[in-house]
Amino acid sequence: MTEKFDVAVLGGGAAGLSGAVVLSRARRSVVVVDAGSPRNAPAEAVHGFLSRDGISPLELLEIGRAEVKRYGGLVLPATAGAARSTDGGFEVSLDDGRSITARRLLVTTGLTDELPDVPGVAERWGRDVVHCPHCHGWESRDQPVGVLATHTEWAVRQALMLRQLTPEVTFFQHTAPALTERQVAQLTAWGIGVVTGPVGSLEVADDRITGLRLADGTTVACSVVVAPPRLVANSGVLTGLGLEPTPHPMGIGESIAADPTGLTDVPGVWVAGNVTDVMAQMMSSAASGAAAAAAINADLVAEDTRLTVRLLSGDYWEERYRSAKRIRSGRPNPHVLATAADLPPGTALDVGSGEGADAIWLASRGWKVTGVDLSQAALDRAARHAADADVDVTWRQADVAAWDPAPVQYDLVSVQYMQLPRSVRDTLHRRLAAAVRPGGTLLIVGHHPADLEVTTFRRPRLPHLMFTAEEIATVLDPSAWDITTSAPERPATDPEGQQITLTDAVLRAVRRATDRPL
Protein backbone atom coordinates (compact mmCIF):
# COMPACT_ATOMS: atom_id res chain seq x y z
CA MET A 1 0.00 0.00 0.00
CA THR A 2 1.32 3.44 -0.92
CA GLU A 3 0.90 6.17 1.67
CA LYS A 4 0.80 9.80 0.59
CA PHE A 5 2.23 12.76 2.48
CA ASP A 6 2.90 16.43 1.89
CA VAL A 7 6.61 15.89 2.55
CA ALA A 8 8.81 12.82 2.84
CA VAL A 9 12.00 13.45 4.79
CA LEU A 10 14.61 10.88 3.79
CA GLY A 11 17.10 10.63 6.60
CA GLY A 12 16.48 11.19 10.29
CA GLY A 13 19.59 12.98 11.55
CA ALA A 14 19.74 16.52 12.90
CA ALA A 15 18.84 18.07 9.53
CA GLY A 16 15.96 15.72 8.78
CA LEU A 17 14.37 15.81 12.22
CA SER A 18 14.72 19.59 12.46
CA GLY A 19 13.01 19.97 9.10
CA ALA A 20 10.29 17.51 10.04
CA VAL A 21 9.50 19.42 13.24
CA VAL A 22 9.16 22.69 11.33
CA LEU A 23 6.90 21.09 8.73
CA SER A 24 4.79 19.22 11.28
CA ARG A 25 4.27 22.42 13.24
CA ALA A 26 3.03 23.96 9.99
CA ARG A 27 0.40 21.15 10.01
CA ARG A 28 1.91 19.41 7.02
CA SER A 29 1.63 15.64 6.77
CA VAL A 30 5.22 14.51 7.19
CA VAL A 31 7.00 11.16 7.23
CA VAL A 32 10.63 10.68 8.25
CA VAL A 33 12.30 7.60 6.78
CA ASP A 34 15.35 6.60 8.79
CA ALA A 35 17.04 3.31 9.63
CA GLY A 36 18.47 4.64 12.88
CA SER A 37 22.19 4.38 12.03
CA PRO A 38 23.56 7.93 12.25
CA ARG A 39 27.02 8.83 11.02
CA ASN A 40 28.09 9.96 14.49
CA ALA A 41 26.87 6.84 16.33
CA PRO A 42 30.45 5.77 17.25
CA ALA A 43 31.05 9.09 19.02
CA GLU A 44 30.53 9.30 22.77
CA ALA A 45 28.93 12.73 22.69
CA VAL A 46 27.72 15.61 20.53
CA HIS A 47 29.58 18.89 20.99
CA GLY A 48 28.98 22.45 19.87
CA PHE A 49 25.18 21.99 19.83
CA LEU A 50 23.72 24.81 21.93
CA SER A 51 21.84 23.50 24.99
CA ARG A 52 22.71 19.88 24.13
CA ASP A 53 26.50 19.85 24.46
CA GLY A 54 27.71 16.49 25.72
CA ILE A 55 24.55 14.57 24.89
CA SER A 56 24.97 11.18 23.24
CA PRO A 57 24.17 11.16 19.51
CA LEU A 58 21.47 8.51 19.88
CA GLU A 59 19.79 10.32 22.75
CA LEU A 60 19.69 13.54 20.74
CA LEU A 61 18.02 11.72 17.86
CA GLU A 62 15.51 10.09 20.20
CA ILE A 63 14.54 13.52 21.50
CA GLY A 64 14.18 14.76 17.93
CA ARG A 65 11.96 11.83 16.94
CA ALA A 66 9.73 12.47 19.94
CA GLU A 67 9.36 16.12 18.91
CA VAL A 68 8.36 15.12 15.38
CA LYS A 69 5.74 12.70 16.72
CA ARG A 70 4.45 15.31 19.19
CA TYR A 71 3.34 17.44 16.25
CA GLY A 72 1.81 14.58 14.29
CA GLY A 73 4.74 13.53 12.13
CA LEU A 74 5.41 9.87 11.38
CA VAL A 75 8.82 8.21 11.75
CA LEU A 76 9.35 5.01 9.78
CA PRO A 77 12.29 2.73 10.66
CA ALA A 78 13.36 1.99 7.10
CA THR A 79 15.80 2.97 4.38
CA ALA A 80 14.78 4.81 1.22
CA GLY A 81 16.00 2.83 -1.76
CA ALA A 82 15.01 4.88 -4.79
CA ALA A 83 12.86 7.85 -5.71
CA ARG A 84 11.05 8.67 -8.92
CA SER A 85 8.87 11.50 -10.15
CA THR A 86 5.10 10.97 -10.42
CA ASP A 87 2.14 13.13 -11.30
CA GLY A 88 1.95 15.65 -8.50
CA GLY A 89 5.02 14.53 -6.61
CA PHE A 90 7.37 11.65 -5.96
CA GLU A 91 7.27 7.97 -5.09
CA VAL A 92 9.91 6.49 -2.79
CA SER A 93 10.47 2.76 -2.44
CA LEU A 94 11.59 1.50 0.96
CA ASP A 95 13.74 -1.48 1.81
CA ASP A 96 10.88 -3.14 3.70
CA GLY A 97 8.78 -3.40 0.54
CA ARG A 98 6.56 -0.43 1.22
CA SER A 99 6.41 2.73 -0.81
CA ILE A 100 5.36 6.26 0.00
CA THR A 101 4.38 9.20 -2.15
CA ALA A 102 4.91 12.83 -1.30
CA ARG A 103 4.40 16.18 -2.92
CA ARG A 104 7.90 17.27 -1.86
CA LEU A 105 11.11 15.54 -0.80
CA LEU A 106 13.59 16.73 1.82
CA VAL A 107 16.67 14.54 1.48
CA THR A 108 18.94 14.54 4.52
CA THR A 109 20.71 11.23 4.05
CA GLY A 110 24.07 12.57 5.21
CA LEU A 111 27.42 11.29 4.04
CA THR A 112 29.83 8.40 4.36
CA ASP A 113 33.29 8.88 5.81
CA GLU A 114 35.79 7.07 3.59
CA LEU A 115 38.59 6.47 6.08
CA PRO A 116 42.31 6.07 5.41
CA ASP A 117 43.18 2.45 4.77
CA VAL A 118 45.29 2.03 7.88
CA PRO A 119 44.75 -0.95 10.23
CA GLY A 120 43.00 0.15 13.41
CA VAL A 121 41.56 3.42 12.12
CA ALA A 122 38.05 2.10 11.44
CA GLU A 123 37.88 0.20 14.73
CA ARG A 124 38.70 3.29 16.80
CA TRP A 125 36.76 5.78 14.67
CA GLY A 126 34.81 8.24 16.80
CA ARG A 127 36.79 7.38 19.94
CA ASP A 128 40.45 8.37 19.76
CA VAL A 129 40.52 8.46 15.95
CA VAL A 130 38.59 11.60 15.04
CA HIS A 131 38.30 14.09 12.21
CA CYS A 132 36.97 17.47 13.41
CA PRO A 133 38.83 19.91 15.68
CA HIS A 134 35.55 21.63 16.56
CA CYS A 135 33.77 18.38 17.40
CA HIS A 136 36.59 16.63 19.26
CA GLY A 137 39.36 19.19 19.81
CA TRP A 138 38.46 20.09 23.39
CA GLU A 139 38.54 16.41 24.38
CA SER A 140 42.02 16.16 22.75
CA ARG A 141 43.44 19.20 24.52
CA ASP A 142 46.94 18.98 25.95
CA GLN A 143 47.42 15.49 24.52
CA PRO A 144 49.92 14.47 21.81
CA VAL A 145 47.96 14.48 18.55
CA GLY A 146 48.92 12.98 15.22
CA VAL A 147 47.35 14.26 12.00
CA LEU A 148 47.17 11.49 9.38
CA ALA A 149 47.21 13.13 5.96
CA THR A 150 45.64 11.81 2.78
CA HIS A 151 44.74 15.27 1.47
CA THR A 152 47.51 17.78 2.06
CA GLU A 153 45.61 21.07 2.24
CA TRP A 154 42.87 19.70 4.47
CA ALA A 155 45.30 17.96 6.81
CA VAL A 156 47.41 21.13 7.16
CA ARG A 157 44.28 23.07 8.14
CA GLN A 158 43.40 20.45 10.73
CA ALA A 159 46.90 20.52 12.20
CA LEU A 160 46.92 24.30 12.50
CA MET A 161 43.51 24.35 14.22
CA LEU A 162 44.52 21.61 16.66
CA ARG A 163 47.74 23.41 17.61
CA GLN A 164 45.82 25.99 19.63
CA LEU A 165 44.38 23.15 21.73
CA THR A 166 47.55 21.20 22.41
CA PRO A 167 51.28 21.94 22.19
CA GLU A 168 52.05 18.50 20.74
CA VAL A 169 50.90 18.12 17.15
CA THR A 170 52.67 15.94 14.57
CA PHE A 171 51.88 16.01 10.88
CA PHE A 172 52.16 12.56 9.23
CA GLN A 173 52.60 12.96 5.46
CA HIS A 174 51.37 9.36 4.90
CA THR A 175 49.93 9.16 1.33
CA ALA A 176 49.18 12.87 0.82
CA PRO A 177 51.00 14.87 -1.87
CA ALA A 178 54.12 16.70 -0.73
CA LEU A 179 53.84 19.87 1.29
CA THR A 180 54.44 23.17 -0.48
CA GLU A 181 57.01 25.61 0.86
CA ARG A 182 54.21 27.77 2.19
CA GLN A 183 52.63 24.86 4.05
CA VAL A 184 55.98 23.85 5.53
CA ALA A 185 56.43 27.43 6.74
CA GLN A 186 52.96 27.43 8.31
CA LEU A 187 53.56 24.20 10.21
CA THR A 188 57.04 25.34 11.27
CA ALA A 189 55.62 28.62 12.58
CA TRP A 190 53.59 26.63 15.11
CA GLY A 191 56.25 24.09 15.92
CA ILE A 192 54.37 21.24 14.27
CA GLY A 193 56.69 18.43 13.36
CA VAL A 194 56.43 16.66 10.00
CA VAL A 195 56.93 12.90 9.61
CA THR A 196 57.30 11.60 6.06
CA GLY A 197 56.58 8.13 4.77
CA PRO A 198 53.43 6.01 4.94
CA VAL A 199 51.85 4.96 8.23
CA GLY A 200 51.49 1.21 8.62
CA SER A 201 49.21 0.88 11.65
CA LEU A 202 48.04 2.21 14.97
CA GLU A 203 49.77 1.22 18.18
CA VAL A 204 47.25 0.45 20.95
CA ALA A 205 47.72 -0.50 24.61
CA ASP A 206 45.03 -0.88 27.27
CA ASP A 207 42.40 0.16 24.71
CA ARG A 208 44.12 3.49 24.05
CA ILE A 209 46.24 4.70 21.15
CA THR A 210 49.87 5.05 22.07
CA GLY A 211 51.33 5.95 18.68
CA LEU A 212 51.50 5.51 14.92
CA ARG A 213 53.81 2.88 13.49
CA LEU A 214 55.36 3.81 10.16
CA ALA A 215 55.87 1.33 7.36
CA ASP A 216 59.61 1.24 8.19
CA GLY A 217 58.83 0.10 11.75
CA THR A 218 59.41 3.44 13.47
CA THR A 219 56.79 4.38 16.06
CA VAL A 220 55.87 8.01 16.81
CA ALA A 221 54.04 8.59 20.08
CA CYS A 222 50.56 10.15 20.14
CA SER A 223 47.30 9.65 22.06
CA VAL A 224 44.82 10.95 19.51
CA VAL A 225 44.84 10.50 15.75
CA VAL A 226 43.07 12.99 13.51
CA ALA A 227 42.29 11.22 10.24
CA PRO A 228 40.42 13.50 7.83
CA PRO A 229 38.25 11.15 5.70
CA ARG A 230 36.98 11.61 2.19
CA LEU A 231 33.40 12.87 2.57
CA VAL A 232 30.96 11.28 0.13
CA ALA A 233 27.25 12.19 0.07
CA ASN A 234 24.78 9.34 0.54
CA SER A 235 22.89 10.36 -2.58
CA GLY A 236 21.99 7.06 -4.22
CA VAL A 237 18.28 7.62 -3.57
CA LEU A 238 18.46 10.68 -5.84
CA THR A 239 19.99 8.96 -8.84
CA GLY A 240 16.61 8.07 -10.33
CA LEU A 241 15.70 11.76 -10.25
CA GLY A 242 18.77 12.70 -12.26
CA LEU A 243 20.70 14.23 -9.37
CA GLU A 244 24.36 13.29 -9.16
CA PRO A 245 26.95 14.52 -6.66
CA THR A 246 29.49 17.15 -7.61
CA PRO A 247 33.10 17.39 -6.32
CA HIS A 248 33.89 19.60 -3.35
CA PRO A 249 36.08 22.61 -4.35
CA MET A 250 38.85 21.41 -2.02
CA GLY A 251 38.71 17.90 -3.45
CA ILE A 252 37.80 16.35 -0.09
CA GLY A 253 34.62 14.64 -1.27
CA GLU A 254 31.38 15.19 -3.14
CA SER A 255 27.87 16.41 -2.41
CA ILE A 256 24.54 17.39 -4.00
CA ALA A 257 24.46 20.98 -5.21
CA ALA A 258 21.59 23.19 -4.05
CA ASP A 259 20.61 26.83 -3.69
CA PRO A 260 20.76 28.60 -0.27
CA THR A 261 17.36 27.16 0.74
CA GLY A 262 18.41 23.62 -0.18
CA LEU A 263 16.47 23.45 -3.44
CA THR A 264 18.15 21.20 -6.00
CA ASP A 265 17.96 21.31 -9.78
CA VAL A 266 14.88 19.07 -9.58
CA PRO A 267 11.78 21.09 -8.66
CA GLY A 268 10.22 19.76 -5.48
CA VAL A 269 13.42 18.20 -4.12
CA TRP A 270 15.34 19.86 -1.29
CA VAL A 271 18.50 18.70 0.45
CA ALA A 272 19.94 19.67 3.84
CA GLY A 273 22.79 18.69 6.13
CA ASN A 274 25.87 16.78 5.06
CA VAL A 275 24.37 15.42 1.84
CA THR A 276 24.76 18.95 0.45
CA ASP A 277 27.32 20.48 2.83
CA VAL A 278 30.00 17.96 3.74
CA MET A 279 31.56 20.34 6.28
CA ALA A 280 28.33 21.00 8.22
CA GLN A 281 28.31 20.16 11.91
CA MET A 282 25.24 19.01 13.85
CA MET A 283 23.95 22.46 14.68
CA SER A 284 24.43 23.89 11.21
CA SER A 285 22.84 20.74 9.75
CA ALA A 286 19.81 21.24 11.99
CA ALA A 287 19.62 24.88 10.90
CA SER A 288 19.77 23.94 7.22
CA GLY A 289 16.98 21.41 7.74
CA ALA A 290 14.80 24.06 9.34
CA ALA A 291 15.54 26.54 6.54
CA ALA A 292 14.73 23.98 3.85
CA ALA A 293 11.49 23.08 5.64
CA ALA A 294 10.41 26.72 5.71
CA ALA A 295 11.08 26.98 1.98
CA ILE A 296 9.15 23.77 1.32
CA ASN A 297 6.16 24.97 3.29
CA ALA A 298 6.15 28.27 1.39
CA ASP A 299 6.30 26.35 -1.88
CA LEU A 300 3.37 24.15 -0.85
CA VAL A 301 1.35 27.19 0.22
CA ALA A 302 1.93 28.73 -3.20
CA GLU A 303 0.88 25.51 -4.92
CA ASP A 304 -2.20 25.12 -2.71
CA THR A 305 -3.18 28.69 -3.46
CA ARG A 306 -2.93 28.09 -7.20
CA LEU A 307 -4.92 24.86 -6.86
CA THR A 308 -7.64 26.48 -4.77
CA VAL A 309 -8.02 29.34 -7.22
CA ARG A 310 -8.30 26.79 -10.02
CA LEU A 311 -10.86 24.66 -8.18
CA LEU A 312 -13.03 27.73 -7.67
CA SER A 313 -12.95 28.69 -11.34
CA GLY A 314 -15.61 27.87 -13.88
CA ASP A 315 -12.99 26.93 -16.46
CA TYR A 316 -11.71 24.11 -14.26
CA TRP A 317 -15.13 22.48 -13.88
CA GLU A 318 -15.96 22.90 -17.55
CA GLU A 319 -12.71 21.18 -18.44
CA ARG A 320 -13.24 18.42 -15.91
CA TYR A 321 -16.77 17.56 -17.02
CA ARG A 322 -15.78 17.67 -20.68
CA SER A 323 -12.75 15.43 -20.07
CA ALA A 324 -14.74 12.23 -19.43
CA LYS A 325 -18.13 10.73 -20.17
CA ARG A 326 -18.86 10.53 -16.46
CA ILE A 327 -16.92 11.73 -13.44
CA ARG A 328 -19.43 10.62 -10.79
CA SER A 329 -20.95 7.22 -10.07
CA GLY A 330 -24.39 8.18 -11.37
CA ARG A 331 -25.95 7.05 -8.08
CA PRO A 332 -27.72 9.50 -5.77
CA ASN A 333 -25.98 10.40 -2.54
CA PRO A 334 -27.06 8.08 0.32
CA HIS A 335 -27.56 11.08 2.60
CA VAL A 336 -30.07 12.52 0.14
CA LEU A 337 -31.87 9.18 -0.03
CA ALA A 338 -32.03 8.86 3.75
CA THR A 339 -33.28 12.41 4.24
CA ALA A 340 -35.86 12.50 1.45
CA ALA A 341 -37.22 9.07 2.40
CA ASP A 342 -38.86 10.68 5.46
CA LEU A 343 -40.26 13.66 3.58
CA PRO A 344 -43.37 14.09 1.42
CA PRO A 345 -42.46 15.24 -2.12
CA GLY A 346 -42.40 18.98 -2.53
CA THR A 347 -40.05 21.50 -4.08
CA ALA A 348 -36.32 20.88 -3.94
CA LEU A 349 -33.20 22.87 -4.74
CA ASP A 350 -30.06 20.86 -5.55
CA VAL A 351 -27.09 23.22 -5.33
CA GLY A 352 -23.96 22.03 -7.12
CA SER A 353 -26.04 19.45 -8.96
CA GLY A 354 -23.22 18.21 -11.19
CA GLU A 355 -24.32 15.41 -13.50
CA GLY A 356 -27.73 15.38 -11.84
CA ALA A 357 -27.98 12.05 -9.99
CA ASP A 358 -29.54 13.54 -6.84
CA ALA A 359 -31.93 15.85 -8.72
CA ILE A 360 -33.06 13.07 -11.06
CA TRP A 361 -33.71 10.66 -8.17
CA LEU A 362 -35.75 13.29 -6.33
CA ALA A 363 -37.75 14.05 -9.49
CA SER A 364 -38.46 10.34 -9.93
CA ARG A 365 -39.95 10.38 -6.42
CA GLY A 366 -42.36 13.18 -7.28
CA TRP A 367 -40.32 16.21 -6.26
CA LYS A 368 -40.30 19.39 -8.31
CA VAL A 369 -36.58 19.96 -8.58
CA THR A 370 -34.30 22.80 -9.60
CA GLY A 371 -30.63 21.85 -10.16
CA VAL A 372 -28.02 24.61 -10.14
CA ASP A 373 -24.39 24.23 -11.11
CA LEU A 374 -21.41 26.32 -12.21
CA SER A 375 -20.63 24.10 -15.19
CA GLN A 376 -22.77 24.20 -18.30
CA ALA A 377 -21.15 20.97 -19.46
CA ALA A 378 -22.37 19.25 -16.28
CA LEU A 379 -25.87 20.65 -16.72
CA ASP A 380 -26.04 19.54 -20.36
CA ARG A 381 -25.06 16.03 -19.28
CA ALA A 382 -27.59 16.12 -16.42
CA ALA A 383 -30.32 17.17 -18.83
CA ARG A 384 -29.58 14.17 -21.05
CA HIS A 385 -29.67 11.84 -18.05
CA ALA A 386 -32.99 13.35 -16.96
CA ALA A 387 -34.44 12.84 -20.44
CA ASP A 388 -33.27 9.23 -20.41
CA ALA A 389 -34.98 8.77 -17.03
CA ASP A 390 -38.14 10.50 -18.35
CA VAL A 391 -38.27 13.05 -15.52
CA ASP A 392 -38.55 16.83 -15.53
CA VAL A 393 -35.90 18.91 -13.78
CA THR A 394 -35.27 22.62 -14.12
CA TRP A 395 -31.56 23.18 -14.76
CA ARG A 396 -29.88 26.52 -14.12
CA GLN A 397 -26.30 27.61 -14.70
CA ALA A 398 -24.93 30.00 -12.07
CA ASP A 399 -21.88 30.69 -9.95
CA VAL A 400 -23.36 28.99 -6.93
CA ALA A 401 -20.85 30.62 -4.57
CA ALA A 402 -22.43 33.99 -5.34
CA TRP A 403 -25.92 32.97 -6.51
CA ASP A 404 -28.95 33.84 -4.37
CA PRO A 405 -32.19 31.88 -4.80
CA ALA A 406 -34.23 34.60 -3.07
CA PRO A 407 -37.10 35.25 -3.03
CA VAL A 408 -37.97 31.63 -3.93
CA GLN A 409 -38.16 29.12 -1.07
CA TYR A 410 -38.13 25.30 -1.14
CA ASP A 411 -39.17 22.35 0.98
CA LEU A 412 -35.72 20.80 0.62
CA VAL A 413 -32.40 22.52 -0.07
CA SER A 414 -29.54 20.10 -0.64
CA VAL A 415 -25.84 20.97 -0.93
CA GLN A 416 -23.54 17.98 -1.53
CA TYR A 417 -19.74 18.16 -1.25
CA MET A 418 -19.39 21.81 -2.15
CA GLN A 419 -15.98 22.64 -0.68
CA LEU A 420 -15.39 26.39 -0.44
CA PRO A 421 -13.27 28.75 1.69
CA ARG A 422 -15.05 29.41 4.97
CA SER A 423 -15.96 33.04 4.35
CA VAL A 424 -17.56 32.16 1.00
CA ARG A 425 -19.10 28.96 2.38
CA ASP A 426 -20.75 30.61 5.38
CA THR A 427 -22.24 33.38 3.25
CA LEU A 428 -23.62 30.82 0.78
CA HIS A 429 -25.10 28.66 3.53
CA ARG A 430 -26.87 31.64 5.05
CA ARG A 431 -28.45 32.43 1.68
CA LEU A 432 -29.48 28.82 1.20
CA ALA A 433 -30.86 28.60 4.74
CA ALA A 434 -33.04 31.60 3.92
CA ALA A 435 -34.31 29.68 0.89
CA VAL A 436 -35.82 26.94 3.11
CA ARG A 437 -39.54 27.28 3.78
CA PRO A 438 -40.78 27.08 7.36
CA GLY A 439 -41.07 23.38 8.02
CA GLY A 440 -38.56 22.64 5.26
CA THR A 441 -35.22 20.85 5.44
CA LEU A 442 -31.65 21.99 4.82
CA LEU A 443 -29.20 19.16 4.03
CA ILE A 444 -25.50 19.95 3.78
CA VAL A 445 -22.91 17.22 3.24
CA GLY A 446 -19.16 17.73 2.86
CA HIS A 447 -15.74 16.14 3.21
CA HIS A 448 -14.80 15.88 6.87
CA PRO A 449 -11.29 16.93 8.01
CA ALA A 450 -10.78 13.36 9.26
CA ASP A 451 -10.19 12.38 5.63
CA LEU A 452 -6.88 14.23 5.81
CA GLU A 453 -5.58 11.36 7.95
CA VAL A 454 -6.27 8.79 5.22
CA THR A 455 -2.78 8.82 3.74
CA THR A 456 -3.53 6.53 0.78
CA PHE A 457 -6.30 8.74 -0.58
CA ARG A 458 -5.26 11.07 -3.38
CA ARG A 459 -7.71 13.94 -2.86
CA PRO A 460 -5.90 17.32 -2.81
CA ARG A 461 -4.84 18.14 0.75
CA LEU A 462 -6.65 21.45 1.26
CA PRO A 463 -7.78 21.58 4.91
CA HIS A 464 -9.28 25.04 4.57
CA LEU A 465 -11.92 23.67 2.18
CA MET A 466 -13.06 20.92 4.56
CA PHE A 467 -15.45 21.31 7.48
CA THR A 468 -17.35 19.59 10.25
CA ALA A 469 -21.12 19.65 10.53
CA GLU A 470 -20.77 21.55 13.80
CA GLU A 471 -18.92 24.34 11.98
CA ILE A 472 -21.75 24.56 9.45
CA ALA A 473 -24.34 24.70 12.24
CA THR A 474 -22.88 27.95 13.55
CA VAL A 475 -24.48 29.88 10.68
CA LEU A 476 -27.96 28.81 11.82
CA ASP A 477 -30.01 30.35 14.61
CA PRO A 478 -30.67 27.43 17.00
CA SER A 479 -33.95 29.01 18.10
CA ALA A 480 -35.20 28.81 14.51
CA TRP A 481 -33.93 25.38 13.54
CA ASP A 482 -33.96 21.80 14.78
CA ILE A 483 -30.39 20.84 13.99
CA THR A 484 -28.80 17.41 13.73
CA THR A 485 -25.08 17.00 13.04
CA SER A 486 -23.15 13.81 12.42
CA ALA A 487 -19.91 12.44 11.02
CA PRO A 488 -20.81 9.05 9.51
CA GLU A 489 -18.10 6.86 8.05
CA ARG A 490 -18.40 5.13 4.70
CA PRO A 491 -16.29 2.56 2.85
CA ALA A 492 -14.38 3.66 -0.21
CA THR A 493 -11.59 2.47 -2.49
CA ASP A 494 -8.29 4.27 -2.92
CA PRO A 495 -6.57 4.63 -6.32
CA GLU A 496 -4.73 1.32 -5.80
CA GLY A 497 -7.94 -0.61 -5.13
CA GLN A 498 -7.44 -0.82 -1.37
CA GLN A 499 -10.42 -0.47 0.96
CA ILE A 500 -10.36 2.69 3.08
CA THR A 501 -12.81 4.52 5.30
CA LEU A 502 -13.88 8.09 4.62
CA THR A 503 -15.90 10.42 6.82
CA ASP A 504 -18.67 12.81 5.82
CA ALA A 505 -19.76 15.96 7.60
CA VAL A 506 -23.59 15.88 7.59
CA LEU A 507 -25.93 18.61 8.77
CA ARG A 508 -29.65 18.12 8.64
CA ALA A 509 -31.68 21.07 9.87
CA VAL A 510 -35.45 21.54 9.87
CA ARG A 511 -36.71 25.08 9.92
CA ARG A 512 -39.38 25.53 12.52
CA ALA A 513 -42.81 26.45 11.23
CA THR A 514 -42.79 29.69 13.21
CA ASP A 515 -39.43 31.29 13.48
CA ARG A 516 -37.75 34.59 13.76
CA PRO A 517 -36.09 36.19 10.72
CA LEU A 518 -32.54 34.90 10.10
Side-chain angles (χ1 to χ4, degrees):
M1 183 178 292
T2 301
E3 298 176 277
K4 182 176 182 180
F5 300 88
D6 284 331
V7 185
V9 181
L10 309 184
L17 293 174
S18 180
V21 168
V22 170
L23 289 162
S24 297
R25 284 176 53 83
R27 307 191 82 168
R28 294 294 176 187
S29 61
V30 180
V31 59
V32 178
V33 178
D34 184 66
S37 300
R39 173 194 178 200
N40 60 354
E44 183 177 312
V46 171
H47 295 293
F49 199 116
L50 187 63
S51 82
R52 289 291 185 266
D53 188 81
I55 193 172
S56 79
L58 296 180
E59 184 182 355
L60 179 63
L61 296 187
E62 194 58 39
I63 292 172
R65 294 185 193 108
E67 290 180 357
V68 172
K69 295 173 185 177
R70 183 191 311 163
Y71 295 109
L74 177 65
V75 179
L76 292 181
T79 299
R84 67 180 185 88
S85 297
T86 63
D87 291 338
F90 306 90
E91 182 175 9
V92 182
S93 59
L94 309 183
D95 62 348
D96 61 7
R98 286 182 292 180
S99 63
I100 55 175
T101 63
R103 297 166 63 192
R104 302 292 185 272
L105 294 183
L106 174 55
V107 179
T108 59
T109 43
L111 60 80
T112 295
D113 296 294
E114 294 186 352
L115 304 177
D117 186 17
V118 174
V121 166
E123 290 77 9
R124 308 199 66 82
W125 180 246
R127 299 166 61 192
D128 43 12
V129 176
V130 296
H131 76 292
C132 174
H134 299 292
C135 302
H136 307 284
W138 176 263
E139 286 66 37
S140 304
R141 68 192 185 281
D142 299 327
Q143 300 181 60
V145 175
V147 178
L148 183 61
T150 53
H151 183 286
T152 306
E153 181 181 355
W154 192 14
V156 168
R157 290 178 59 178
Q158 302 286 68
L160 294 174
M161 285 189 284
L162 284 159
R163 180 59 183 81
Q164 69 186 37
L165 293 161
T166 178
E168 299 181 65
V169 178
T170 303
F171 184 94
F172 291 82
Q173 189 76 45
H174 189 46
T175 59
L179 293 162
T180 65
E181 290 185 8
R182 179 173 177 271
Q183 290 167 338
V184 170
Q186 290 174 329
L187 295 175
T188 300
W190 284 97
I192 299 172
V194 176
V195 175
T196 59
V199 172
S201 65
L202 272 62
E203 289 289 296
V204 179
D206 297 327
D207 199 31
R208 292 296 304 174
I209 292 176
T210 59
L212 290 177
R213 179 179 290 275
L214 303 181
D216 64 7
T218 305
T219 297
V220 181
C222 62
S223 298
V224 178
V225 173
V226 175
R230 186 169 185 271
L231 309 173
V232 180
N234 297 327
S235 59
V237 70
L238 295 172
T239 301
L241 298 174
L243 288 171
E244 297 289 345
T246 57
H248 188 276
M250 284 180 58
I252 59 175
E254 56 187 34
S255 60
I256 298 296
D259 75 3
T261 72
L263 179 62
T264 69
D265 290 338
V266 176
V269 179
W270 272 258
V271 288
N274 288 135
V275 73
T276 185
D277 180 1
V278 295
M279 302 294 283
Q281 298 177 55
M282 289 278 284
M283 198 161 192
S284 53
S285 289
S288 70
I296 291 170
N297 187 54
D299 191 50
L300 288 170
V301 168
E303 180 177 273
D304 291 343
T305 301
R306 292 190 298 270
L307 178 58
T308 302
V309 170
R310 184 166 176 255
L311 288 174
L312 298 179
S313 72
D315 290 343
Y316 169 80
W317 291 104
E318 286 296 323
E319 177 185 342
R320 185 172 183 193
Y321 280 109
R322 293 184 190 281
S323 65
K325 291 183 178 180
R326 183 187 292 275
I327 66 171
R328 306 295 183 192
S329 68
R331 298 185 298 272
N333 189 299
H335 301 299
V336 174
L337 272 61
T339 298
D342 298 332
L343 301 175
T347 57
L349 175 64
D350 182 13
V351 181
S353 54
E355 293 164 310
D358 292 348
I360 292 169
W361 181 84
L362 287 167
S364 72
R365 302 273 294 183
W367 289 79
K368 184 178 180 181
V369 185
T370 299
V372 182
D373 200 273
L374 177 64
S375 168
Q376 188 61 52
L379 293 171
D380 292 343
R381 186 174 298 169
R384 292 193 295 270
H385 293 163
D388 293 340
D390 195 25
V391 297
D392 291 325
V393 177
T394 300
W395 305 106
R396 177 168 181 174
Q397 191 277 331
D399 180 354
V400 293
W403 177 70
D404 190 347
V408 182
Q409 291 187 315
Y410 301 85
D411 298 301
L412 172 64
V413 174
S414 173
V415 191
Q416 304 296 305
Y417 302 109
M418 185 171 294
Q419 312 298 134
L420 298 166
R422 181 159 190 170
S423 59
V424 179
R425 183 175 70 223
D426 287 355
T427 301
L428 171 64
H429 289 164
R430 289 190 180 95
R431 289 198 301 268
L432 296 180
V436 178
R437 285 193 181 119
T441 299
L442 175 66
L443 176 64
I444 300 176
V445 180
H447 297 300
H448 194 281
D451 286 356
L452 295 171
E453 306 304 320
V454 183
T455 56
T456 61
F457 201 52
R458 304 298 176 88
R459 182 182 296 137
R461 186 179 172 84
L462 299 172
H464 69 294
L465 299 185
M466 307 177 88
F467 53 83
T468 65
E470 290 74 17
E471 290 172 331
I472 297 300
T474 61
V475 306
L476 303 178
D477 180 354
S479 67
W481 296 83
D482 294 319
I483 302 170
T484 302
T485 61
S486 62
E489 296 181 341
R490 57 186 171 90
T493 304
D494 71 14
E496 295 183 356
Q498 302 289 333
Q499 289 298 305
I500 57 176
T501 299
L502 299 180
T503 304
D504 289 331
V506 180
L507 176 139
R508 180 178 176 179
V510 178
R511 190 171 185 179
R512 293 171 183 164
T514 56
D515 62 6
R516 299 194 302 270
L518 294 174

